[in-house]
């Protein structure tokens, strides 16, 4: 059991009391992840080349199995002059974010059932410096339980990009790249009454 107290320096009154109680500190966590990918290139003509691929991954802690991540790109050589070659590249890819083992461990540890109980009280009354808030205050409070929403899906990002590579005399090279990054179903923590939810929207 561990406790933490936040006190305002000016008044000396407690403003926040947190207590963590461990009923079973031992927690066994395992995670299995499987992934497979395919990639290839096709040279359409001496000036242009297409690259393509796909990746699929799955893990045992997620019911969402729609984790297909394609990638595609094309490169075209505008100029083939010696020491002045210009290549334009464009494409995009999808990156899947797995549910980390640390997140799964936190869900198990803070399920409010068997491992860890968090009591968080703001502006506690009837405070005892040794034992903490009074029993009445503790009974009136609720434990902080961390759960995952039933509709949780795997977060992913979409990354389109375009670049121009220019060779210059004396072995120099100039490269300009523009890339965007759009996140979909990104994870967030949200408080609902006494329960903190890890939801995705």
């Amino acid at each position: 059991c561990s406790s933490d107290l936040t006190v305002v320096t000016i008044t000396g009154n407690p403003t926040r009391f947190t207590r963590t109680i461990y009923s079973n500190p031992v927690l066994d966590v395992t995670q299995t992840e499987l992934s497979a990918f395919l990639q290839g290139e096709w040279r359409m003509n001496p000036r242009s080349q297409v690259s393509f691929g796909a990746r699929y991954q799955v893990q045992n802690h997620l019911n969402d199995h729609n984790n297909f991540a394609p990638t595609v790109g094309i490169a075209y050589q505008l100029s083939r002059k010696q020491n002045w070659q210009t290549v334009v590249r464009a494409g995009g890819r999808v990156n899947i974010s797995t549910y980390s083992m640390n997140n799964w461990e936190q869900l198990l540890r803070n399920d409010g059932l068997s491992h860890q109980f968090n009591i968080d009280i703001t502006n506690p009354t009837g405070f005892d410096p040794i034992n903490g808030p009074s029993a009445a205050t503790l009974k009136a409070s609720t434990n902080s339980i961390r759960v995952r929403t039933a509709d949780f899906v795997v977060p992913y990002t979409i990354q389109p990009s375009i670049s121009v590579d220019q060779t210059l005399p004396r072995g120099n090279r100039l490269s300009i790249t523009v890339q965007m990054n759009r996140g979909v179903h990104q994870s967030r923590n949200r408080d609902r009454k006494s329960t903190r939810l890890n939801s995705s929207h």
Side-chain angles (χ1 to χ4, degrees), residues 1 22 63 131 142 191 193:
C1 176
Y22 298 94
N63 295 325
N131 300 319
T142 56
D191 290 330
K193 296 181 180 180

Side-chain angles (χ1 to χ4, degrees), residues 21-162:
I21 302 173
Y22 298 94
S23 60
N24 182 11
V26 179
L27 183 64
D28 293 329
V29 180
T30 59
Q31 180 164 302
T32 302
E33 297 182 9
L34 299 175
S35 62
F37 67 92
L38 174 70
Q39 62 182 22
E41 295 180 350
W42 175 41
R43 181 174 292 277
M44 295 186 296
N45 54 59
R47 285 177 174 262
S48 58
Q49 178 175 297
V50 176
S51 60
F52 51 88
R55 181 183 179 91
Y56 181 80
Q57 58 191 64
V58 65
Q59 59 182 153
N60 60 327
H61 295 149
L62 291 174
N63 295 325
D64 178 21
H65 297 153
N66 186 26
N67 306 326
F68 181 73
T71 179
V72 64
I74 185 172
Y76 186 79
Q77 191 173 28
L78 295 177
S79 175
R80 304 181 65 181
K81 296 180 180 180
Q82 188 177 5
N83 297 329
W84 193 259
Q85 298 181 1
T86 305
V87 179
V88 178
R89 294 181 174 87
R93 64 184 304 166
V94 174
N95 293 321
I96 303 293
S97 300
T98 59
Y99 199 76
S100 70
M101 183 180 294
N102 179 65
N103 289 337
W104 182 248
E105 178 184 351
Q106 293 302 315
L107 287 179
L108 296 178
R109 191 174 298 281
N110 295 279
D111 60 2
L113 299 176
S114 57
H115 295 285
Q116 178 176 310
F117 302 89
N118 294 330
I119 299 175
D120 196 356
I121 304 173
T122 57
N123 300 317
T125 59
F127 186 81
D128 187 326
I130 298 177
N131 300 319
S134 63
T137 304
L138 289 177
K139 291 180 180 179
S141 66
T142 56
N143 291 333
S144 297
I145 301 175
R146 187 180 180 89
V147 298
R148 188 176 61 190
T149 56
D151 60 346
F152 184 89
V153 294
V154 177
Y156 64 91
T157 57
I158 303 174
Q159 296 179 326
S161 64
I162 185 172

